Amino acid sequence: AEVRVFVIEDDVETLNSTQRLLERWGCVVETSNAPPAKLPKCDILLSDFDFGAGETLADRRELLLQLKGTSTRLVVISGHHPDQVHESLPGINAVVLSKPLRAAELRSALMAARLG
């Protein structure tokens, strides 16, 4: 409850349904359909990996660098193999969840990320 989650997802339907689910769980949710330039104030950054047109979260180095040294946890949802995602985010401690994602998996990952 009251966990601040910032969700990045380029698919509007998925973004809206994720927001509703997180709010039902008591999270305070902000959303964006693209990675922001500056790390938002949040406990968990929940992000898709692919944003279309060949752009991925790995291309947002500035945002990823801002994560280092903060208490914000990164949870990435991807259709790629988790090892591939981890390799493309060197030095970034992220929980990687595979698509298709079940609500129970997301809840478990968010709880684990929040507890550190």
Side-chain angles (χ1 to χ4, degrees), residues 56-101:
T56 69
L57 184 60
D59 297 322
R60 297 302 182 107
R61 288 287 173 206
E62 186 64 32
L63 177 64
L64 295 171
L65 287 173
Q66 292 172 41
L67 276 169
K68 293 183 177 186
T70 71
S71 61
T72 299
R73 301 291 190 193
L74 176 62
V75 177
V76 179
I77 301 171
S78 178
H80 299 287
H81 190 279
D83 290 343
Q84 182 182 359
V85 175
H86 282 292
E87 287 172 12
S88 69
L89 302 173
I92 303 296
N93 185 15
V95 173
V96 179
L97 303 174
S98 297
K99 291 180 181 179
L101 184 63

Short mmCIF file of all heavy atoms in Angstrom, two decimals, residues 56-101:
data_model
loop_
_atom_site.label_atom_id
_atom_site.label_comp_id
_atom_site.label_asym_id
_atom_site.label_seq_id
_atom_site.Cartn_x
_atom_site.Cartn_y
_atom_site.Cartn_z
N THR A 56 14.63 0.82 -27.23
CA THR A 56 14.47 0.01 -26.02
C THR A 56 14.85 0.82 -24.79
O THR A 56 15.45 1.89 -24.90
CB THR A 56 15.34 -1.27 -26.06
OG1 THR A 56 16.71 -0.89 -25.95
CG2 THR A 56 15.09 -2.09 -27.32
N LEU A 57 14.56 0.26 -23.65
CA LEU A 57 14.95 0.90 -22.40
C LEU A 57 16.47 1.06 -22.32
O LEU A 57 16.97 2.05 -21.78
CB LEU A 57 14.44 0.07 -21.22
CG LEU A 57 14.67 0.64 -19.83
CD1 LEU A 57 13.99 2.00 -19.66
CD2 LEU A 57 14.16 -0.34 -18.77
N ALA A 58 17.20 0.13 -22.91
CA ALA A 58 18.67 0.20 -22.91
C ALA A 58 19.18 1.46 -23.61
O ALA A 58 20.28 1.94 -23.32
CB ALA A 58 19.26 -1.04 -23.56
N ASP A 59 18.38 2.01 -24.53
CA ASP A 59 18.77 3.24 -25.24
C ASP A 59 18.66 4.48 -24.35
O ASP A 59 19.18 5.54 -24.71
CB ASP A 59 17.90 3.44 -26.48
CG ASP A 59 18.08 2.32 -27.49
OD1 ASP A 59 19.23 1.86 -27.66
OD2 ASP A 59 17.07 1.91 -28.09
N ARG A 60 18.02 4.36 -23.23
CA ARG A 60 17.82 5.49 -22.31
C ARG A 60 18.86 5.48 -21.20
O ARG A 60 18.55 5.41 -20.02
CB ARG A 60 16.40 5.47 -21.75
CG ARG A 60 15.33 5.64 -22.80
CD ARG A 60 15.57 6.99 -23.52
NE ARG A 60 14.56 7.25 -24.51
CZ ARG A 60 13.59 8.15 -24.37
NH1 ARG A 60 13.52 8.88 -23.28
NH2 ARG A 60 12.72 8.32 -25.34
N ARG A 61 20.12 5.56 -21.59
CA ARG A 61 21.24 5.49 -20.64
C ARG A 61 21.17 6.55 -19.55
O ARG A 61 21.48 6.29 -18.40
CB ARG A 61 22.57 5.60 -21.39
CG ARG A 61 22.91 4.39 -22.16
CD ARG A 61 23.30 3.28 -21.23
NE ARG A 61 23.47 2.05 -21.98
CZ ARG A 61 23.33 0.87 -21.44
NH1 ARG A 61 23.01 0.74 -20.19
NH2 ARG A 61 23.50 -0.22 -22.16
N GLU A 62 20.79 7.77 -19.92
CA GLU A 62 20.72 8.85 -18.93
C GLU A 62 19.74 8.51 -17.81
O GLU A 62 20.03 8.68 -16.63
CB GLU A 62 20.34 10.17 -19.61
CG GLU A 62 20.38 11.36 -18.68
CD GLU A 62 21.78 11.69 -18.16
OE1 GLU A 62 22.77 11.45 -18.88
OE2 GLU A 62 21.86 12.19 -17.03
N LEU A 63 18.58 8.01 -18.18
CA LEU A 63 17.58 7.61 -17.20
C LEU A 63 18.11 6.47 -16.34
O LEU A 63 17.97 6.49 -15.11
CB LEU A 63 16.28 7.20 -17.90
CG LEU A 63 15.15 6.68 -16.99
CD1 LEU A 63 14.68 7.79 -16.05
CD2 LEU A 63 14.00 6.16 -17.84
N LEU A 64 18.74 5.50 -16.97
CA LEU A 64 19.28 4.36 -16.23
C LEU A 64 20.39 4.79 -15.28
O LEU A 64 20.48 4.28 -14.15
CB LEU A 64 19.78 3.30 -17.21
CG LEU A 64 18.69 2.65 -18.07
CD1 LEU A 64 19.32 1.78 -19.15
CD2 LEU A 64 17.72 1.85 -17.22
N LEU A 65 21.23 5.72 -15.69
CA LEU A 65 22.29 6.22 -14.82
C LEU A 65 21.71 6.93 -13.59
O LEU A 65 22.28 6.88 -12.51
CB LEU A 65 23.22 7.16 -15.58
CG LEU A 65 24.15 6.50 -16.59
CD1 LEU A 65 24.89 7.55 -17.40
CD2 LEU A 65 25.13 5.56 -15.89
N GLN A 66 20.58 7.59 -13.78
CA GLN A 66 19.94 8.28 -12.66
C GLN A 66 19.44 7.30 -11.60
O GLN A 66 19.31 7.67 -10.43
CB GLN A 66 18.77 9.14 -13.16
CG GLN A 66 19.20 10.31 -14.01
CD GLN A 66 18.02 11.02 -14.64
OE1 GLN A 66 16.99 11.21 -14.01
NE2 GLN A 66 18.17 11.41 -15.89
N LEU A 67 19.17 6.06 -12.00
CA LEU A 67 18.71 5.04 -11.04
C LEU A 67 19.79 4.68 -10.03
O LEU A 67 19.48 4.38 -8.88
CB LEU A 67 18.30 3.77 -11.78
CG LEU A 67 16.91 3.71 -12.34
CD1 LEU A 67 16.75 2.51 -13.26
CD2 LEU A 67 15.88 3.69 -11.24
N LYS A 68 21.05 4.71 -10.48
CA LYS A 68 22.15 4.32 -9.60
C LYS A 68 22.23 5.28 -8.42
O LYS A 68 22.13 6.48 -8.58
CB LYS A 68 23.46 4.30 -10.37
CG LYS A 68 23.50 3.20 -11.42
CD LYS A 68 24.83 3.16 -12.11
CE LYS A 68 24.86 2.00 -13.08
NZ LYS A 68 26.18 1.83 -13.67
N GLY A 69 22.40 4.72 -7.27
CA GLY A 69 22.53 5.55 -6.08
C GLY A 69 21.20 6.03 -5.51
O GLY A 69 21.18 6.84 -4.59
N THR A 70 20.09 5.55 -6.07
CA THR A 70 18.78 5.89 -5.52
C THR A 70 18.17 4.64 -4.90
O THR A 70 18.65 3.52 -5.10
CB THR A 70 17.81 6.43 -6.59
OG1 THR A 70 17.43 5.35 -7.46
CG2 THR A 70 18.43 7.56 -7.39
N SER A 71 17.10 4.82 -4.18
CA SER A 71 16.38 3.67 -3.62
C SER A 71 15.31 3.16 -4.58
O SER A 71 14.63 2.18 -4.27
CB SER A 71 15.75 4.06 -2.28
OG SER A 71 14.82 5.11 -2.47
N THR A 72 15.17 3.79 -5.74
CA THR A 72 14.17 3.36 -6.73
C THR A 72 14.58 2.02 -7.32
O THR A 72 15.71 1.84 -7.75
CB THR A 72 14.02 4.40 -7.86
OG1 THR A 72 13.58 5.63 -7.29
CG2 THR A 72 13.02 3.93 -8.90
N ARG A 73 13.66 1.09 -7.33
CA ARG A 73 13.89 -0.24 -7.90
C ARG A 73 13.34 -0.29 -9.32
O ARG A 73 12.30 0.30 -9.60
CB ARG A 73 13.19 -1.32 -7.07
CG ARG A 73 13.63 -1.36 -5.64
CD ARG A 73 15.05 -1.83 -5.56
NE ARG A 73 15.40 -2.08 -4.18
CZ ARG A 73 16.62 -2.27 -3.78
NH1 ARG A 73 17.61 -2.21 -4.63
NH2 ARG A 73 16.88 -2.51 -2.52
N LEU A 74 14.02 -1.00 -10.20
CA LEU A 74 13.60 -1.15 -11.59
C LEU A 74 13.04 -2.55 -11.82
O LEU A 74 13.69 -3.54 -11.51
CB LEU A 74 14.78 -0.91 -12.53
CG LEU A 74 14.52 -1.12 -14.02
CD1 LEU A 74 13.44 -0.17 -14.55
CD2 LEU A 74 15.81 -0.96 -14.81
N VAL A 75 11.82 -2.58 -12.35
CA VAL A 75 11.19 -3.84 -12.76
C VAL A 75 10.89 -3.70 -14.25
O VAL A 75 10.21 -2.75 -14.66
CB VAL A 75 9.91 -4.14 -11.96
CG1 VAL A 75 9.25 -5.42 -12.48
CG2 VAL A 75 10.21 -4.24 -10.47
N VAL A 76 11.42 -4.61 -15.06
CA VAL A 76 11.28 -4.55 -16.51
C VAL A 76 10.42 -5.71 -16.98
O VAL A 76 10.62 -6.86 -16.55
CB VAL A 76 12.66 -4.62 -17.21
CG1 VAL A 76 12.51 -4.58 -18.71
CG2 VAL A 76 13.57 -3.51 -16.72
N ILE A 77 9.48 -5.41 -17.86
CA ILE A 77 8.64 -6.43 -18.47
C ILE A 77 9.03 -6.54 -19.93
O ILE A 77 9.05 -5.53 -20.64
CB ILE A 77 7.15 -6.07 -18.33
CG1 ILE A 77 6.79 -5.92 -16.86
CG2 ILE A 77 6.28 -7.13 -19.00
CD1 ILE A 77 5.40 -5.36 -16.62
N SER A 78 9.33 -7.76 -20.37
CA SER A 78 9.84 -7.92 -21.74
C SER A 78 9.45 -9.24 -22.36
O SER A 78 9.29 -10.25 -21.66
CB SER A 78 11.36 -7.80 -21.74
OG SER A 78 11.87 -7.99 -23.04
N GLY A 79 9.34 -9.23 -23.66
CA GLY A 79 9.14 -10.46 -24.42
C GLY A 79 10.46 -11.14 -24.74
O GLY A 79 10.49 -12.26 -25.24
N HIS A 80 11.58 -10.46 -24.48
CA HIS A 80 12.90 -11.02 -24.70
C HIS A 80 13.28 -11.93 -23.54
O HIS A 80 12.74 -11.80 -22.44
CB HIS A 80 13.96 -9.92 -24.81
CG HIS A 80 13.72 -8.98 -25.94
ND1 HIS A 80 13.92 -9.32 -27.26
CD2 HIS A 80 13.29 -7.69 -25.95
CE1 HIS A 80 13.63 -8.29 -28.04
NE2 HIS A 80 13.25 -7.29 -27.26
N HIS A 81 14.26 -12.79 -23.77
CA HIS A 81 14.75 -13.65 -22.70
C HIS A 81 15.35 -12.75 -21.61
O HIS A 81 16.06 -11.79 -21.92
CB HIS A 81 15.80 -14.62 -23.25
CG HIS A 81 16.17 -15.68 -22.28
ND1 HIS A 81 17.07 -15.46 -21.27
CD2 HIS A 81 15.74 -16.96 -22.15
CE1 HIS A 81 17.20 -16.56 -20.55
NE2 HIS A 81 16.40 -17.49 -21.07
N PRO A 82 15.11 -13.05 -20.34
CA PRO A 82 15.64 -12.22 -19.26
C PRO A 82 17.15 -12.00 -19.33
O PRO A 82 17.63 -10.92 -19.02
CB PRO A 82 15.25 -12.98 -17.99
CG PRO A 82 14.01 -13.72 -18.38
CD PRO A 82 14.22 -14.11 -19.83
N ASP A 83 17.90 -13.02 -19.74
CA ASP A 83 19.36 -12.86 -19.85
C ASP A 83 19.71 -11.78 -20.87
O ASP A 83 20.64 -11.00 -20.66
CB ASP A 83 20.03 -14.17 -20.24
CG ASP A 83 20.00 -15.20 -19.14
OD1 ASP A 83 19.74 -14.83 -17.97
OD2 ASP A 83 20.21 -16.40 -19.43
N GLN A 84 18.98 -11.73 -21.97
CA GLN A 84 19.22 -10.73 -23.00
C GLN A 84 18.95 -9.32 -22.46
O GLN A 84 19.71 -8.38 -22.73
CB GLN A 84 18.34 -11.00 -24.22
CG GLN A 84 18.55 -10.03 -25.36
CD GLN A 84 17.63 -10.30 -26.53
OE1 GLN A 84 16.82 -11.23 -26.52
NE2 GLN A 84 17.73 -9.47 -27.55
N VAL A 85 17.90 -9.18 -21.67
CA VAL A 85 17.58 -7.88 -21.09
C VAL A 85 18.66 -7.47 -20.10
O VAL A 85 19.15 -6.34 -20.14
CB VAL A 85 16.19 -7.90 -20.41
CG1 VAL A 85 15.92 -6.59 -19.70
CG2 VAL A 85 15.11 -8.20 -21.44
N HIS A 86 19.06 -8.40 -19.23
CA HIS A 86 20.12 -8.08 -18.26
C HIS A 86 21.42 -7.69 -18.96
O HIS A 86 22.09 -6.75 -18.54
CB HIS A 86 20.36 -9.27 -17.31
CG HIS A 86 19.34 -9.41 -16.23
ND1 HIS A 86 19.20 -8.50 -15.21
CD2 HIS A 86 18.39 -10.34 -16.03
CE1 HIS A 86 18.22 -8.88 -14.41
NE2 HIS A 86 17.71 -9.99 -14.89
N GLU A 87 21.77 -8.39 -20.03
CA GLU A 87 22.99 -8.07 -20.78
C GLU A 87 22.93 -6.68 -21.41
O GLU A 87 23.94 -6.01 -21.53
CB GLU A 87 23.23 -9.12 -21.87
CG GLU A 87 23.69 -10.44 -21.33
CD GLU A 87 23.73 -11.53 -22.39
OE1 GLU A 87 23.63 -11.22 -23.59
OE2 GLU A 87 23.88 -12.71 -22.00
N SER A 88 21.74 -6.25 -21.79
CA SER A 88 21.62 -4.93 -22.42
C SER A 88 21.54 -3.80 -21.40
O SER A 88 21.58 -2.63 -21.77
CB SER A 88 20.40 -4.89 -23.35
OG SER A 88 19.21 -4.95 -22.59
N LEU A 89 21.44 -4.16 -20.12
CA LEU A 89 21.39 -3.16 -19.04
C LEU A 89 22.55 -3.40 -18.07
O LEU A 89 22.34 -3.61 -16.88
CB LEU A 89 20.05 -3.27 -18.28
CG LEU A 89 18.77 -3.10 -19.09
CD1 LEU A 89 17.54 -3.41 -18.23
CD2 LEU A 89 18.68 -1.70 -19.66
N PRO A 90 23.80 -3.34 -18.54
CA PRO A 90 24.93 -3.64 -17.67
C PRO A 90 25.02 -2.68 -16.48
O PRO A 90 24.82 -1.48 -16.63
CB PRO A 90 26.15 -3.51 -18.59
CG PRO A 90 25.70 -2.62 -19.70
CD PRO A 90 24.23 -2.88 -19.86
N GLY A 91 25.29 -3.26 -15.33
CA GLY A 91 25.44 -2.45 -14.13
C GLY A 91 24.13 -1.99 -13.52
O GLY A 91 24.14 -1.27 -12.53
N ILE A 92 23.01 -2.39 -14.11
CA ILE A 92 21.70 -2.00 -13.59
C ILE A 92 21.07 -3.19 -12.90
O ILE A 92 20.93 -4.26 -13.49
CB ILE A 92 20.77 -1.51 -14.74
CG1 ILE A 92 21.41 -0.35 -15.50
CG2 ILE A 92 19.40 -1.14 -14.19
CD1 ILE A 92 21.63 0.90 -14.69
N ASN A 93 20.70 -3.01 -11.66
CA ASN A 93 20.05 -4.07 -10.90
C ASN A 93 18.55 -4.01 -11.20
O ASN A 93 17.86 -3.11 -10.72
CB ASN A 93 20.32 -3.90 -9.41
CG ASN A 93 19.77 -5.05 -8.60
OD1 ASN A 93 19.44 -6.10 -9.13
ND2 ASN A 93 19.67 -4.83 -7.30
N ALA A 94 18.08 -4.95 -12.01
CA ALA A 94 16.67 -4.94 -12.40
C ALA A 94 16.07 -6.32 -12.23
O ALA A 94 16.73 -7.33 -12.42
CB ALA A 94 16.54 -4.51 -13.86
N VAL A 95 14.80 -6.32 -11.87
CA VAL A 95 14.00 -7.54 -11.90
C VAL A 95 13.39 -7.59 -13.29
O VAL A 95 12.80 -6.61 -13.75
CB VAL A 95 12.89 -7.51 -10.83
CG1 VAL A 95 11.97 -8.71 -10.98
CG2 VAL A 95 13.49 -7.43 -9.44
N VAL A 96 13.56 -8.71 -13.99
CA VAL A 96 13.03 -8.84 -15.35
C VAL A 96 11.94 -9.90 -15.35
O VAL A 96 12.16 -11.04 -14.94
CB VAL A 96 14.13 -9.21 -16.36
CG1 VAL A 96 13.55 -9.36 -17.75
CG2 VAL A 96 15.24 -8.17 -16.35
N LEU A 97 10.76 -9.49 -15.81
CA LEU A 97 9.61 -10.38 -15.92
C LEU A 97 9.32 -10.62 -17.38
O LEU A 97 9.41 -9.71 -18.20
CB LEU A 97 8.39 -9.75 -15.24
CG LEU A 97 8.57 -9.37 -13.77
CD1 LEU A 97 7.34 -8.61 -13.28
CD2 LEU A 97 8.81 -10.61 -12.93
N SER A 98 8.94 -11.85 -17.70
CA SER A 98 8.68 -12.22 -19.08
C SER A 98 7.20 -12.10 -19.42
O SER A 98 6.33 -12.38 -18.60
CB SER A 98 9.13 -13.66 -19.34
OG SER A 98 10.52 -13.77 -19.17
N LYS A 99 6.96 -11.67 -20.67
CA LYS A 99 5.59 -11.64 -21.20
C LYS A 99 5.25 -13.02 -21.73
O LYS A 99 6.13 -13.70 -22.24
CB LYS A 99 5.49 -10.62 -22.34
CG LYS A 99 5.63 -9.19 -21.89
CD LYS A 99 5.51 -8.28 -23.10
CE LYS A 99 5.67 -6.82 -22.70
NZ LYS A 99 5.58 -5.93 -23.86
N PRO A 100 4.02 -13.44 -21.67
CA PRO A 100 2.89 -12.77 -21.04
C PRO A 100 3.01 -12.86 -19.52
O PRO A 100 3.48 -13.85 -18.98
CB PRO A 100 1.67 -13.55 -21.55
CG PRO A 100 2.20 -14.92 -21.84
CD PRO A 100 3.63 -14.72 -22.26
N LEU A 101 2.59 -11.82 -18.88
CA LEU A 101 2.76 -11.67 -17.44
C LEU A 101 1.43 -11.89 -16.72
O LEU A 101 0.40 -11.37 -17.13
CB LEU A 101 3.27 -10.26 -17.16
CG LEU A 101 3.59 -9.90 -15.72
CD1 LEU A 101 4.73 -10.78 -15.21
CD2 LEU A 101 3.99 -8.44 -15.63
#
